[in-house]
Amino acid sequence: MNGIYTLANDIVYDQLVALLNSIEVNVGKDFPVRVIAYDRNLEKVRELIKDRKSVELIDDWELFHPWHDFSRKVWETHPSALQTWKEKGIDGVYRLSCNHRYFAFDERAPFDRFIYFDADVVVLNSLEFIFEQLDKSDFVIYDFQYKDPSHIFNVNSPKLFDVFPENKVRSEIFCSGFFASKKGVFPLEKRDWLVSKLQEGEAEVLYMNAPNQSVLNYMRMRSEIPIYNFSLHLPEAERTGCSVTSPHFEMRDNLLYDKGARLTYLHYIGLSSKLFSRLCEGENIDFPYRDIFLHYRYLKEPEKRPQFQGKAKPYDAPPSFADKVKKKLGLFK
């Protein structure tokens, strides 16, 4: 069975609403979706999905334990990560709960073939072509992360291009906010083998500031699982961007187009979940493609959509003098 996974809790509630609504409109009302619990802060998530027949919550912590153990074993092989995180007040693996998304690969997972999206995504087109590619490839991606390896691996490690050929690092890496694959591609014996390679000294190539993303790329690349990136194979006229950092997309009929080609998805990467919460609470704050987010967030409850007056404040505007004073006096929560 094909399906879509995402990872969420109540902190990203507004983004999750937009994602689920966009899937319903642009993929299919009955297309199966599973929300993987990030943590136990799920009251609003449960209420949201209770009447959505195609959406279910995966919140059984026993299912996550093997992947917790794997993640801990991985980072225990690193020469400095656990100590560095400890000095910053982080107990154990940084953002360990992000690794709950690994459950998508578990033999007990519900979908044989899946697409994973972070919650800060809106889906804007059919996904059928991605599932069709999974007939030929065990891993499918559609992004331009290959242009910047510095957020995937430790590019300062002299071992990086010994572990992985440079041409592969610069063509096969991907953002973990979107990928498509199949359950069972990382069985226990494969995971144990990966840990053994890390123990042999390869762990220093991992990037500590994005541990989930780095490890997932290492897992795929070290296992030599074939990967297909649509951004490298589609004709230029059909290829689109996917990141909120691209300023040139055109909005038409609540969809986005890149030089005339319809985007498959938009990833609001780098924008804090607090930004979306503030917007939905009525703060007139602007960020790229805000109207696309608002459309899908309030698709089912347009009467609750905030009504803004006046000019919006840019999300990245420097704080005012008054704000600086309030912060110094501890008047901000």
Side-chain angles (χ1 to χ4, degrees):
M1 182 170 70
N2 295 338
I4 295 172
Y5 292 109
T6 189
L7 180 71
N9 64 3
D10 285 357
I11 300 297
V12 296
Y13 172 80
D14 293 302
Q15 293 152 290
L16 178 62
V17 175
L19 170 62
L20 294 180
N21 286 344
S22 72
I23 292 170
E24 189 170 309
V25 171
N26 296 314
V27 181
K29 185 174 182 180
D30 299 321
F31 201 87
V33 179
R34 298 294 179 270
V35 179
I36 299 173
Y38 179 83
D39 57 22
R40 291 183 169 84
N41 183 16
L42 299 165
E43 183 178 348
K44 293 166 69 175
V45 172
R46 294 182 197 280
E47 183 66 22
L48 170 65
I49 69 173
K50 71 177 185 181
D51 295 323
R52 296 181 185 239
K53 295 181 180 179
S54 61
V55 183
E56 295 181 16
L57 177 66
I58 298 175
D59 62 342
D60 182 347
W61 251 245
E62 188 276 328
L63 298 174
F64 304 145
H65 284 160
W67 300 98
H68 281 186
D69 291 342
F70 170 67
S71 298
R72 292 188 184 100
K73 288 177 181 177
V74 163
W75 288 103
E76 284 170 358
T77 70
H78 193 276
S80 60
L82 292 178
Q83 182 60 35
T84 299
W85 292 331
K86 185 177 181 180
E87 290 170 358
K88 294 180 179 180
I90 299 166
D91 184 20
V93 177
Y94 178 46
R95 293 181 175 174
L96 179 63
S97 293
C98 284
N99 298 340
H100 290 178
R101 80 189 70 192
Y102 294 164
F103 174 69
F105 300 110
D106 200 291
E107 292 286 0
R108 298 167 294 177
F111 301 140
D112 300 305
R113 308 188 311 172
F114 65 85
I115 294 174
Y116 171 86
F117 288 110
D118 274 350
D120 59 343
V121 165
V122 289
V123 181
L124 301 171
N125 210 337
S126 168
L127 302 175
E128 190 58 36
F129 74 106
I130 296 171
F131 283 109
E132 288 176 357
Q133 187 59 41
L134 284 173
D135 292 336
K136 308 167 191 174
S137 311
D138 286 340
F139 236 96
V140 179
I141 58 175
Y142 190 179
D143 68 28
F144 297 83
Q145 187 67 51
Y146 62 85
K147 295 182 178 182
D148 181 15
S150 67
H151 288 79
I152 303 297
F153 292 124
N154 174 14
V155 294
N156 296 317
S157 168
K159 289 187 178 181
L160 179 56
F161 296 138
D162 293 331
V163 177
F164 300 123
E166 183 174 358
N167 67 308
K168 289 199 170 191
V169 171
R170 300 193 183 280
S171 64
E172 296 188 1
I173 59 174
F174 61 95
C175 170
S176 64
F178 163 79
F179 58 93
S181 189
K182 304 169 184 177
K183 75 175 181 180
V185 298
F186 296 116
L188 180 59
E189 58 271 20
K190 175 67 71 175
R191 304 198 299 269
D192 288 344
W193 178 80
L194 289 166
V195 170
S196 74
K197 302 310 290 183
L198 291 165
Q199 288 171 333
E200 291 173 7
E202 295 183 5
E204 73 170 55
V205 308
L206 297 178
Y207 178 60
M208 292 191 302
N209 290 337
N212 162 267
Q213 180 165 267
S214 187
V215 172
L216 184 55
N217 273 270
Y218 177 88
M219 292 163 65
R220 202 287 312 165
M221 197 174 289
R222 199 66 177 86
S223 301
E224 299 185 352
I225 297 172
I227 192 167
Y228 186 95
N229 189 345
F230 278 100
S231 71
L232 293 173
H233 293 282
L234 282 174
E236 187 173 354
E238 299 176 23
R239 192 184 312 151
T240 74
C242 58
S243 173
V244 72
T245 57
S246 297
H248 62 279
F249 301 148
E250 300 175 21
M251 180 175 172
R252 299 200 303 266
D253 300 323
N254 301 307
L255 299 169
L256 290 176
Y257 293 82
D258 186 348
K259 300 182 180 68
R262 181 172 163 184
L263 267 66
T264 300
Y265 69 99
L266 178 69
H267 190 184
Y268 289 92
I269 190 167
L271 299 186
S272 168
S273 60
K274 294 178 181 178
L275 189 66
F276 295 87
S277 298
R278 288 163 57 194
L279 178 72
C280 294
E281 288 167 1
E283 185 174 346
N284 191 7
I285 188 166
D286 195 20
F287 53 82
Y289 309 112
R290 180 181 84 161
D291 288 345
I292 284 283
F293 167 75
L294 286 170
H295 170 75
Y296 289 104
R297 167 61 182 88
Y298 292 101
L299 189 71
K300 292 177 178 288
E301 42 189 11
E303 72 284 355
K304 294 184 180 180
R305 179 170 173 163
Q307 300 300 308
F308 303 113
Q309 301 293 327
K311 186 177 180 180
K313 176 183 176 182
Y315 77 99
D316 54 355
S320 67
F321 176 75
D323 287 344
K324 290 180 180 178
V325 172
K326 289 179 181 177
K327 185 175 183 179
K328 189 171 183 179
L329 295 176
L331 299 179
F332 281 146
K333 294 181 179 179

